[in-house]
Amino acid sequence: MTFLDCVSRISARMPPALLVLLALVLPQGQACAETRYPGKAVRIVVPFAAGGVADITARVIAERLGVKLGGRFYVENQPGAGGIAAARTVISSPPDGHTLALLSNGTAISVSLFNKLPYDPLKDFVPVSSLGFFDFVFATNADSPFKTLADFIVAAKAKPGSLNVGTINVGSTQNLSAELFKTVAGIDFVIIPHRGTPEVLVSTMQGNLALMIDSYSAMKGNLADRKIRALASTGPVRSESAPDIATVQESGVADYDVVSWNALFAPAGTPPEIVKILNQALQEILAEPDVKKRLLELGIEARASTPEEISARLRSDIEKWRKVIEKAGIQKQ
């Protein structure tokens, strides 16, 4: 970057007289070094373990941001309930754009799931952009008599409480998706929480569950091998990653809509110009065909947003899941 380029980038924030003084007093390279972003390595703190959908998404984005902005972006995994450890790390870091947070639909859930969440996602962070959106899939054993989700609903209404539905832990998006399905479809069944997706898959394939709910990426291999059969996806329209799977709404449950998401946020107080730089870069990166293809293979529809759009989504999902948690009578942690 030339000195004139540097001056152009900072002129909107500094009085002309100060720019002249800066040009006379500081070496040209130093002036640019102090205003260039990123000025050092940028860490993206992810509240999940390595290898999951959120982690892989963050790593794809980190790699492309590094190329686009000419710096090093890397992922730091800090898994933990409610994303508390990761959130603390980010909000206690200088708000200079060099520590960023990956927030998700799980962040919205945590607001109502925890009694004393030591951070407020609406006040302690500023939104940058969404990264991607993904549905969950309702699936059953390959030998199940249920060929469609409508078949399951009919059976559940005929014998309330007789069918088992498997999800991962209580309070997860998958688990709350099952609770919401109960309410919206007007049916009753037993939700069986499991410690992890592998256990849910085994229980489904063994015929112990009438239905399971998890991400498409988690069950993609077993769907391809025909060990399980997809009945419906949870979004309002069919997913680009699995367009042959009908939606829950198409199956007769008109008001059902669950779409999870991942997004990039920064600590409160981060300069708006840095947020703008990051948002513009993400708009370009997430429109690249190879990035879209790579994420779609994981069941994620890559899509950037304005900061205002993802902020509104976070607010609406906090309210949505608060109602589900309260109606289900889930105890706060």
Side-chain angles (χ1 to χ4, degrees):
M1 180 186 295
T2 68
F3 178 68
L4 290 177
D5 290 334
C6 182
V7 169
S8 176
R9 288 183 60 175
I10 66 176
S11 60
R13 293 181 289 144
M14 298 183 70
L18 186 54
L19 284 173
V20 172
L21 180 62
L22 188 68
L24 293 173
V25 174
L26 293 179
Q28 294 179 6
Q30 183 178 344
C32 287
E34 291 180 352
T35 59
R36 178 181 175 274
Y37 175 80
K40 58 182 179 180
V42 179
R43 63 175 171 170
I44 301 174
V45 183
V46 175
F48 305 105
V53 170
D55 173 71
I56 295 171
T57 301
R59 291 179 188 277
V60 170
I61 298 305
E63 177 189 355
R64 294 306 177 102
L65 280 172
V67 173
K68 181 75 66 176
L69 297 179
R72 179 175 173 246
F73 286 72
Y74 67 97
V75 170
E76 184 175 299
N77 300 94
Q78 292 191 14
I84 292 172
R88 279 177 170 161
T89 294
V90 176
I91 63 180
S92 63
S93 300
D96 58 5
H98 293 92
T99 300
L100 305 172
L102 184 138
L103 300 188
S104 69
N105 183 68
T107 307
I109 290 171
S110 294
V111 173
S112 297
L113 191 63
F114 289 83
N115 262 320
K116 294 182 179 179
L117 198 65
Y119 68 93
D120 184 338
L122 296 174
K123 295 179 180 178
D124 295 328
F125 296 93
V126 293
V128 177
S129 171
S130 62
L131 302 179
F133 296 81
F134 57 98
D135 301 344
F136 293 99
V137 173
F138 288 40
T140 190
N141 185 291
D143 298 323
S144 168
F146 305 130
K147 306 303 181 185
T148 67
L149 188 62
D151 292 340
F152 174 89
I153 293 171
V154 169
K157 286 183 176 179
K159 294 183 178 180
S162 64
L163 300 176
N164 293 336
V165 174
T167 71
I168 58 171
N169 54 291
V170 173
S172 64
T173 304
Q174 293 92 319
N175 180 260
L176 295 180
S177 295
E179 294 284 4
L180 181 63
F181 181 51
K182 264 188 181 183
T183 300
V184 178
I187 56 178
D188 186 31
F189 49 79
V190 179
I191 300 175
I192 309 293
H194 294 66
R195 287 178 295 182
T197 298
E199 288 188 3
V200 185
L201 282 164
V202 169
S203 291
T204 302
M205 289 185 286
Q206 290 178 341
N208 298 324
L209 298 172
L211 197 69
M212 68 169 286
I213 303 173
D214 216 308
S215 65
Y216 174 72
S217 63
M219 58 177 78
K220 184 177 179 181
N222 288 296
L223 287 171
D225 293 340
R226 299 179 184 247
K227 294 178 179 178
I228 58 175
R229 180 170 62 249
L231 298 185
S233 61
T234 61
V237 297
R238 295 195 182 197
S239 169
E240 290 181 25
S241 59
D244 57 325
I245 301 176
T247 67
V248 175
Q249 291 188 15
E250 287 179 273
S251 304
V253 188
D255 297 325
Y256 192 85
D257 176 5
V258 175
V259 178
S260 198
W261 49 269
N262 293 312
L264 208 60
F265 281 67
T270 300
E273 55 268 31
I274 290 178
V275 172
K276 184 177 181 181
I277 290 169
L278 286 166
N279 182 273
Q280 182 59 44
L282 289 170
Q283 295 283 348
E284 296 170 6
I285 289 167
L286 291 164
E288 294 174 4
D290 59 331
V291 171
K292 293 178 79 71
K293 181 176 181 293
R294 189 170 175 187
L295 293 182
L296 199 60
E297 290 171 354
L298 298 172
I300 301 167
E301 294 180 20
R303 188 162 77 246
S305 70
T306 65
E308 294 76 18
E309 286 169 340
I310 194 58
S311 179
R313 181 59 185 253
L314 174 59
R315 287 179 182 276
S316 66
D317 277 357
I318 287 174
E319 180 61 17
K320 173 180 182 173
W321 295 117
R322 180 188 65 76
K323 293 177 181 177
V324 174
I325 289 168
E326 288 178 356
K327 186 169 183 63
I330 296 172
Q331 281 193 324
K332 291 194 173 187
Q333 300 178 22

